[in-house]
Amino acid sequence: MTLTLTGCGSSTGSGDVTLKLIAADYGDSKSNGSQHYWDELARAFEKKNPGIKVDVDVYSWTDVDKKVEDLVEAGKAPDLAQIGAYADYAAKGRLYSADKLLNVTTQADFTPSLAEAGEYKRVQYGMPFGASTRRLFYNKKLFAQAGIASPPRTWDDIAHDAQLLKARGVKMPFALPLGPEETQAETMQWMLSGGGGYTDSIGKYTIDSPENVKTFNWLKEKLVGKGLTGTDPAKLNRKDAFQGFADGEVGMLNGHPTLMKQAAAKGVDYGTVELPGTNGKAKATMGVADWMMAFKQGGHRVQAGKFLDFVYSDKNVEKFSGDYGLLPVTTSASQAMQADDKYTKLHGFLEQLPNAEFYPANKTSWPLISKTVKAKMGAAVGPRGNPSGVLTDIQNTAAMADNTGE
């Protein structure tokens, strides 16, 4: 029987259904791209569920969110999408809630902090898929050459160690990627380590809080202004900072688990510690999760739910996390990984996940604020930068977006 594939899934008179999934690519080369993972998973699922086919298209992170947006706008929403944001679709009533899709055991197994981050107006629509936390990475060889005996615990330690590294000729003592690629992440890490954040405990934007202003003034004066970042942060992207660390040209930087594999492949002897704060370790680290969601348009709630229960089985969650250097999004898979010595270097990241703080992805205004942060924060710490002014501008944009959006 031939099935016609359409953007919103298809079904035939016999009851056979084809689910359409659009997913993001986590691979760093064609050989380990996510298409391989999904194709293998889909075939295994189809063997157990003969009436359901799964058709998966994988796109780069540069394109995937826009691809889904275009399909939805054209009235051809996929049945499932694994992308970066869910709130706007939830707000417009386009998504099934998680409890309408997953069996109770599957939904209850999500790490609580991740499940909560997937809620829009207290209902879970975003199902976490792939997570990470952040730690400070340091190059042990460069530290030893500079006479630094232990990794930094406070901001003063960072500035002191960066000076020693600079004196030894290290190209980038502290890499500060505030270029357009992932500025919103580096910004949030520094906000948290300074006792601030994008929002307060009730979800109201606090971008220009005294804590955040103090943090970015410190970066401007104590790191960038003293030449300890080695390059203009506004022009440094995360990808290039990670590559610099793998090439042995960076003394320290904030990073996520993917950097471990990259550094190890180049033979870099590195260590990681919790993010330093003003007077000790930071109050929290940043957590990042990407999201799986199911669109209502195709009407395949039952079939999509069956597939998602399969996707989130322990074996499959562990495989995906292991293949791509990410943290499992379920409690049971996290416990299995913590008990496995093979993942020792991931344990520090994993232990931080339950208390990590996430982007305010449950706010429909967040994509605009993220875009604004990317455009403005790099220049804020430059020679002519004005951290207070820039943070106030972004706060005003956020307040206006909230007033007209949610």
Side-chain angles (χ1 to χ4, degrees), residues 46 142 217 345:
E46 289 167 357
L142 296 181
N217 278 331
K345 289 200 168 184

Side-chain angles (χ1 to χ4, degrees), residues 173-210:
F174 194 104
L176 185 67
L178 291 172
E181 182 193 356
E182 210 182 39
T183 328
Q184 82 285 2
E186 190 71 18
T187 296
M188 183 170 172
Q189 289 166 77
W190 282 100
M191 284 177 169
L192 290 173
S193 64
Y198 282 119
T199 59
D200 61 17
S201 58
I202 58 168
K204 184 182 176 187
Y205 283 116
T206 53
I207 293 165
D208 62 350
S209 69

Side-chain angles (χ1 to χ4, degrees), residues 95-112:
L95 303 178
Y96 290 116
S97 57
D99 62 330
K100 297 284 196 294
L101 295 158
L102 305 171
N103 69 42
V104 176
T105 312
T106 303
Q107 190 178 4
D109 198 26
F110 287 130
T111 300

